[in-house]
C-alpha cells in the first residue's frame, strides 16, 4: 500500500502533467538536480584539467629553472674565463714591455765587459805618465761604458752589488771560496764579474768568491749553500 502511494507521488517524468502544480514542482526539482549534477561533473572535470595543467606548468617551470641554472653556471664560468684571460693578457703585455729587451741587454753586457777590459788593459804607468793620447783614449772608453750602462738602466737593467752580502744562489754564482774566520760563512767577499737584473728577473748572475770557515749564518734565512764551482763560468770570467 505504501509502495503504491510512493509510486503515485513520484510517477515517471514523462507521465507528469504540466497543468498539475505538484507535477510542475517535481519537474522543476528534477531539472534543478540534473543541472546541479552536470555542474558538479563539469566542475570536477575542470578541476582535473586544472590540476593536470598545473602539474604540466610546474614541470615546465622546473625545467626552465634547471635550464636557467645551467645558463647561469655557464655565464659565471665564461665570466671567470674572461677575467683570467684579461689578467693573463695584462701580465703578458707587462712582461713584454719589461723584458722584451732582455736578450739585447744581455748582449750589451758583453760590450760593457769588453770596454772595462780595454780600460784595464792600459798600463797604470802609462796613464800616470800623463800621455795625452792614452789619457784621452781611456777617458773616451770610460765615458762610453758609463753611457752604455746609463742607457741600460733607463730600460730597467740594474747592476747587482753583492759585496758583503750573504750568498744568494738566485742572483750569485760561486766561483771560489776564500778562507776567512772573521766573517759569517757564505758571505760574498769578492766580485769577479758584476751581475745584472732586469725588473725582478736575473739577467746575468754575479760571479763571486764566498767566505769559508766563519760562523754559519742563521738557518732561518733559508738560503741554500753555494753549488760546486762552475769551470766554464770561471773560464768566462
Amino acid at each position: 500500500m505504501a509502495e503504491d502511494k510512493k509510486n503515485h507521488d513520484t510517477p515517471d517524468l514523462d507521465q507528469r502533467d504540466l497543468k498539475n502544480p505538484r507535477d510542475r514542482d517535481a519537474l522543476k526539482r528534477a531539472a534543478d538536480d540534473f543541472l546541479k549534477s552536470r555542474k558538479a561533473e563539469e566542475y570536477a572535470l575542470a578541476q582535473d584539467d586544472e590540476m593536470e595543467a598545473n602539474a604540466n606548468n610546474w614541470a615546465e617551470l622546473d625545467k626552465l629553472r634547471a635550464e636557467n641554472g645551467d645558463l647561469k653556471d655557464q655565464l659565471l664560468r665564461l665570466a671567470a674565463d674572461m677575467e683570467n684571460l684579461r689578467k693573463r693578457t695584462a701580465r703578458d703585455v707587462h712582461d713584454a714591455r719589461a723584458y722584451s729587451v732582455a736578450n739585447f741587454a744581455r748582449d750589451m753586457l758583453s760590450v760593457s765587459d769588453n770596454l772595462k777590459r780595454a780600460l784595464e788593459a792600459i798600463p797604470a804607468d802609462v796613464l800616470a805618465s800623463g800621455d795625452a793620447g792614452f789619457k784621452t783614449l781611456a777617458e773616451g772608453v770610460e765615458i762610453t761604458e758609463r753611457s752604455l750602462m746609463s742607457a741600460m738602466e733607463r730600460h730597467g737593467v740594474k747592476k747587482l752589488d753583492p759585496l758583503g752580502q750573504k750568498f744568494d744562489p738566485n742572483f750569485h754564482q760561486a766561483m771560489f771560496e776564500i778562507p776567512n774566520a772573521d766573517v759569517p760563512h757564505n758571505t760574498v767577499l769578492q766580485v769577479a764579474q758584476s751581475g745584472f737584473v732586469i725588473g725582478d728577473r736575473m739577467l746575468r748572475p754575479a760571479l763571486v768568491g764566498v767566505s769559508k770557515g766563519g760562523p754559519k749564518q742563521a738557518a732561518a734565512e733559508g738560503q741554500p749553500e753555494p753549488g760546486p764551482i762552475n769551470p766554464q763560468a770561471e773560464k768566462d770570467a
Side-chain angles (χ1 to χ4, degrees):
M1 190 68 159
E3 184 177 355
D4 293 341
K5 184 178 180 180
K6 180 178 179 181
N7 292 334
H8 179 76
D9 292 339
T10 57
D12 294 336
L13 293 178
D14 56 359
Q15 297 178 1
R16 297 289 185 176
D17 185 0
L18 295 179
K19 295 180 180 181
N20 188 333
R22 180 182 296 178
D23 290 344
R24 286 199 301 271
D25 291 341
L27 288 172
K28 182 178 179 182
R29 288 195 299 271
D32 290 342
D33 293 341
F34 176 76
L35 291 175
K36 287 180 181 180
S37 64
R38 289 298 304 271
K39 287 182 179 179
E41 292 176 359
E42 291 177 356
Y43 179 77
L45 291 174
Q47 288 290 99
D48 292 340
D49 292 342
E50 183 177 359
M51 290 179 64
E52 183 177 358
N54 287 338
N56 293 333
N57 290 338
W58 280 110
E60 186 67 21
L61 181 60
D62 291 339
K63 180 180 178 181
L64 292 175
R65 285 175 176 173
E67 292 177 354
N68 182 64
D70 292 340
L71 291 174
K72 184 177 181 180
D73 290 341
Q74 293 178 14
L75 289 176
L76 290 175
R77 285 195 296 270
L78 180 60
D81 291 341
M82 292 300 296
E83 179 64 15
N84 292 334
L85 177 61
R86 184 191 66 79
K87 292 180 179 179
R88 189 162 53 249
T89 302
R91 183 170 60 252
D92 291 343
V93 170
H94 174 269
D95 290 348
R97 290 176 178 173
Y99 307 117
S100 60
V101 297
N103 292 333
F104 175 76
R106 192 175 291 109
D107 291 338
M108 289 299 98
L109 291 179
S110 299
V111 177
S112 176
D113 292 339
N114 291 332
L115 291 174
K116 289 181 180 179
R117 292 188 182 101
L119 288 173
E120 294 171 354
I122 301 176
D125 56 343
V126 174
L127 291 176
S129 67
D131 187 290
F134 275 106
K135 185 176 181 180
T136 302
L137 175 62
E139 290 177 352
V141 173
E142 186 177 358
I143 291 173
T144 302
E145 195 272 337
R146 285 203 304 265
S147 298
L148 177 61
M149 295 309 302
S150 297
M152 294 181 69
E153 287 180 2
R154 288 196 297 272
H155 290 278
V157 178
K158 295 182 181 180
K159 183 178 179 180
L160 297 176
D161 186 18
L163 193 63
Q165 298 178 2
K166 183 180 178 182
F167 175 81
D168 184 350
N170 296 312
F171 299 100
H172 311 150
Q173 184 170 333
M175 298 294 297
F176 49 85
E177 294 179 326
I178 304 173
N180 191 328
D182 297 331
V183 296
H185 186 62
N186 286 340
T187 298
V188 176
L189 295 182
Q190 186 175 338
V191 179
Q193 179 177 275
S194 299
F196 292 86
V197 294
I198 180 169
D200 57 355
R201 297 182 182 180
M202 183 182 69
L203 188 62
R204 186 179 75 181
L207 305 182
V208 300
V210 297
S211 63
K212 177 183 179 181
K216 289 187 178 295
Q217 301 196 37
E221 296 181 13
Q223 293 289 358
E225 297 289 324
I229 305 302
N230 188 328
Q232 183 60 41
E234 188 173 13
K235 180 180 178 182
D236 294 341

